[in-house]
Amino acid sequence: MKKFIIFLIIIIGLYQSCYMEEISFNPLNDDDYKLTLMLKFDHQACSYDHRNNTLRYSLPNNSRSEYTPYVEFQKCSSVSYNGIELQNKNNNNLGDIEYNKNYEIVLRANGQTKVLNLMFTDLPIIQIITPNRIVNEPKVPAVMKIISPEENNTVEHVVGIKYRGRTTLALPKKSMGFSLRNPTNYNQNISNSILDLRINNDWILDAVYKDKSNSRSTVSYKVWEEITQQSKLSIHSQFVELFINNEHQGLYCLREKYNGEFFSLSNYNSVLYKSISFYAGATTFDTYLENESLTSEWNGWEHIYPDPERELNWGPLQNLSYVIVVSDSSHFCSNISSTINISEYIDFYIFLYVSSADDCIGKNTILLKEHEGKFQFIPWDLDPTWGLYWDGSRIDHCHLFSDRLFDKLMALNPDNFRARLKSRWFELRAETLTEENIKTLFINNFSFLNNSNIIDIDNDIWGTQINLSDEQEFIFYWTKNRLTFLDNYFNNL
C-alpha cells in the first residue's frame, strides 16, 4: 500500500507536465491513475468518452463570447477545431461558443487521425480515474478530478469509492459513495469542501435513476430547509456530469451526507441513527425489543454516531422506543414532549405529507439527539416524492400514511398536538408551501438541466426516455391537487 501511495503522489504531481510522444486512445494507461491527454483549454482537460468519440468541456456562460483559451495538446501532434489549426501552448480564438452544439476536433500524429465531437457544458464535471473495478464493498482507490465552470483550475483528490444503496444496487445506473483520503496516507480520511458544498469526509454521487425529473430530491431538501429554517438540517447538492476513466456516465447529483461531521457532533452522548429496514416493525415503533445489539445494526436501525467501531450507544433509541411502544397512555403523554421535539416533529410530518415521502416511514429516517437534547426526526432519500412511489411508479395525490408514534400523538393529543399540527400547516401554506413557490423550485432545476444536453446524453447512455416537460406537467398537476387535498385534511382535524 505504501508503494501505491508514493506512486499515486508522483502521478498527481506530474500530471500537468506529462505528455505522450504519440497520441494514444486507450481509456487508461495501465495502472498509473493517469488519462491520456487529448486537449486542454486554460489548463483544464477536456473529458473524453471513447465509446462515442466525444469530448466535453465545462465552460461558464459568461466566457462563451469570443472564447480565447490557452490551448494544450500532445507534442508531435496537430489539432484542428472546426477546420482551424490550433497553436499548441498558445491562446487560440475559438469564436462565440454555443452549448448543445458539436464542434469538430481532428487530432493527427504519426500517421494517426482521430475525429472527435466537442461539446461545451455549463455543468461541473467529475472524473473518476481508477484501474480498479468499483464494487459495493470495499471502497477502491481512485483519483477524482473536479472541474468546475467557475474555476480556472482542476481540483484533484485521492478517494476511496464504492457503489452504495440497497435495492438500488440492482439498477443499471448505480449511485456511489466516496470518502476523501490523505494523498500521503491512503488509510487516513480527510475532510474538504467540493464545489462549494460544506466540508465533509463522506460524499454521495446520486444516480437519480428512478426519478425521471432528476429534481425531486433536490427540491425536497430545499422545501425541508424552508420549513425548518435550519440549513444545518438539510442536504445541499450540485448537478454534475460524471466520467469514469474515459466513459461518460451522464448526469449525477453530488450530495452532502448526514453523519456526525455534518451535524458537528463531538460529544459521545450525542447519537445519530438511521432506519434502514422494516425489521419486525421496530422502525415504525410497532414493536419493542429489549436486547441491545453489539454491532452497528439493530432492529432495522443503523448506528451512525458515535463511530460504531469505537463506541455503541443504543440506549437513547431504546428509551424512545419504550416510551412509544410500551408505556401506557398516561406515561406516554407525560414523557413524549421531553423525549422528542414536538414542534420539529410536526414540521417533519408536514413535510412528509406535502411531498408524499412515505418511504421515510419505517425506513430512510434520520434520528438525531444532540447532547442533553431531544430527538429530532430528519428525512433521507427523497427521490420517491411529489407523486413518485419508491419503485418509480406514480401515485395519486390522496395517499396518506403514518406510524405508531404519529397515531398515538393524534389519538392521545399530548400538548394539544392536533391543534398545533393544524395551525402549523396553515401557517406554512401562507408563504412556504404555496403552489407557486414549489413550482418555482422545480422550474429552476429544470431550467438548469435544460441549458445543457445532458438529459439527451443520459437517455442515450442508459436507454431511458426522460422527458422533463412531461415530468414538469405531472409534478405541477399532482402538487396542485395534493395541496388542495391536504388543506381539506388539516382543516378537518
Side-chain angles (χ1 to χ4, degrees), residues 33-82:
Y33 294 79
K34 175 176 65 67
L35 298 177
T36 298
L37 170 66
M38 293 290 185
L39 184 63
K40 281 185 179 181
F41 296 142
D42 291 331
H43 311 291
Q44 295 191 133
C46 297
S47 298
Y48 173 51
D49 180 22
H50 76 97
R51 295 171 300 186
N52 295 313
N53 286 323
T54 57
L55 295 171
R56 298 285 283 183
Y57 187 80
S58 186
L59 183 69
N61 186 60
N62 59 10
S63 298
R64 292 194 294 154
S65 178
E66 288 296 309
Y67 182 49
T68 309
Y70 183 79
V71 175
E72 299 170 83
F73 45 86
Q74 292 180 27
K75 293 187 293 186
C76 305
S77 65
S78 65
V79 178
S80 67
Y81 169 91
N82 270 7

Side-chain angles (χ1 to χ4, degrees), residues 161-374:
I161 190 166
K162 68 172 186 174
Y163 292 134
R164 69 177 307 276
R166 293 177 184 265
T167 58
T168 56
L169 286 173
L171 299 175
K173 185 181 181 185
K174 293 175 173 53
S175 295
M176 286 167 267
F178 66 92
S179 56
L180 304 178
R181 302 297 175 88
N182 188 335
T184 62
N185 181 1
Y186 176 78
N187 293 316
Q188 181 182 30
N189 290 331
I190 62 173
S191 299
N192 215 321
S193 170
I194 300 178
L195 294 175
D196 294 328
L197 300 178
R198 287 167 289 193
I199 293 174
N200 209 323
N201 166 248
D202 286 323
W203 297 85
I204 292 170
L205 281 167
D206 188 352
V208 204
Y209 184 75
K210 289 184 178 180
D211 174 20
K212 303 311 178 188
S213 78
N214 290 279
S215 300
R216 284 179 168 89
S217 189
T218 300
V219 169
S220 293
Y221 281 120
K222 183 61 178 175
V223 171
W224 170 242
E225 184 174 332
E226 290 183 357
I227 288 175
T228 63
Q229 293 295 300
Q230 295 188 68
S231 176
K232 72 170 188 175
L233 295 182
S234 183
I235 293 293
H236 296 170
S237 58
Q238 171 68 60
F239 288 118
V240 300
E241 296 189 30
L242 179 67
F243 285 74
I244 298 179
N245 296 325
N246 282 331
E247 291 189 359
H248 201 178
Q249 306 297 309
L251 178 68
Y252 272 72
C253 195
L254 175 70
R255 298 197 194 281
E256 299 168 338
K257 183 178 179 181
Y258 288 133
N259 56 19
E261 184 175 16
F262 181 90
F263 294 111
S264 302
L265 302 180
S266 58
N267 189 305
Y268 275 13
N269 289 321
S270 301
V271 291
L272 190 65
Y273 312 112
K274 176 187 173 185
S275 58
I276 56 177
S277 74
F278 299 98
Y279 179 81
T283 54
T284 52
F285 303 107
D286 290 316
T287 59
Y288 174 77
L289 302 177
E290 291 187 358
N291 296 328
E292 291 186 20
S293 173
L294 298 178
T295 69
S296 62
E297 294 185 7
W298 177 52
N299 298 339
W301 295 93
E302 180 183 3
H303 194 294
I304 300 176
Y305 184 89
D307 183 348
E309 293 185 1
R310 298 182 180 180
E311 180 178 346
L312 289 170
N313 186 5
W314 290 110
L317 178 59
Q318 190 175 38
N319 178 66
L320 172 67
S321 181
Y322 181 89
V323 171
I324 297 170
V325 180
V326 178
S327 63
D328 58 24
S329 298
S330 176
H331 186 271
F332 175 84
C333 291
S334 298
N335 288 274
I336 191 61
S337 61
S338 61
T339 307
I340 71 171
N341 188 309
I342 296 288
S343 295
E344 291 178 346
Y345 181 78
I346 286 172
D347 283 348
F348 171 74
Y349 237 90
I350 284 177
F351 168 77
L352 297 191
Y353 268 19
V354 73
S355 63
S356 192
D358 66 341
D359 203 36
C360 294
I361 297 296
K363 191 180 177 186
N364 298 320
T365 296
I366 299 290
L367 286 181
L368 167 66
K369 182 180 182 297
E370 300 188 63
H371 178 51
E372 297 182 349
K374 304 175 184 180

Side-chain angles (χ1 to χ4, degrees), residues 312-473:
L312 289 170
N313 186 5
W314 290 110
L317 178 59
Q318 190 175 38
N319 178 66
L320 172 67
S321 181
Y322 181 89
V323 171
I324 297 170
V325 180
V326 178
S327 63
D328 58 24
S329 298
S330 176
H331 186 271
F332 175 84
C333 291
S334 298
N335 288 274
I336 191 61
S337 61
S338 61
T339 307
I340 71 171
N341 188 309
I342 296 288
S343 295
E344 291 178 346
Y345 181 78
I346 286 172
D347 283 348
F348 171 74
Y349 237 90
I350 284 177
F351 168 77
L352 297 191
Y353 268 19
V354 73
S355 63
S356 192
D358 66 341
D359 203 36
C360 294
I361 297 296
K363 191 180 177 186
N364 298 320
T365 296
I366 299 290
L367 286 181
L368 167 66
K369 182 180 182 297
E370 300 188 63
H371 178 51
E372 297 182 349
K374 304 175 184 180
F375 270 109
Q376 295 173 272
F377 288 70
I378 302 169
W380 171 247
D381 190 7
L382 298 176
D383 285 342
T385 48
W386 309 102
L388 194 69
Y389 198 48
W390 68 270
D391 63 0
S393 62
R394 291 178 174 180
I395 58 175
D396 66 46
H397 62 274
C398 300
H399 185 54
L400 290 178
F401 43 84
S402 66
D403 62 5
R404 184 167 185 152
L405 172 56
F406 183 77
D407 290 343
K408 289 188 78 168
L409 287 167
M410 290 290 284
L412 300 177
N413 201 32
D415 297 331
N416 207 19
F417 177 80
R418 287 195 302 272
R420 291 169 64 185
L421 178 65
K422 177 178 179 179
S423 175
R424 181 60 171 157
W425 167 258
F426 286 106
E427 177 187 353
L428 290 169
R429 281 286 281 126
E431 293 185 13
T432 303
L433 299 182
T434 65
E435 181 182 352
E436 190 61 32
N437 184 48
I438 295 170
K439 287 171 63 175
T440 298
L441 293 175
F442 275 105
I443 288 171
N444 290 342
N445 276 265
F446 292 144
S447 297
F448 186 72
L449 293 175
N450 281 326
N451 283 341
S452 171
N453 66 331
I454 188 60
I455 298 299
D456 293 335
I457 292 174
D458 222 57
N459 283 335
D460 181 61
I461 293 172
W462 300 106
T464 51
Q465 296 180 330
I466 298 172
N467 186 311
L468 292 185
S469 296
D470 288 349
E471 288 296 318
Q472 177 174 305
E473 181 179 355

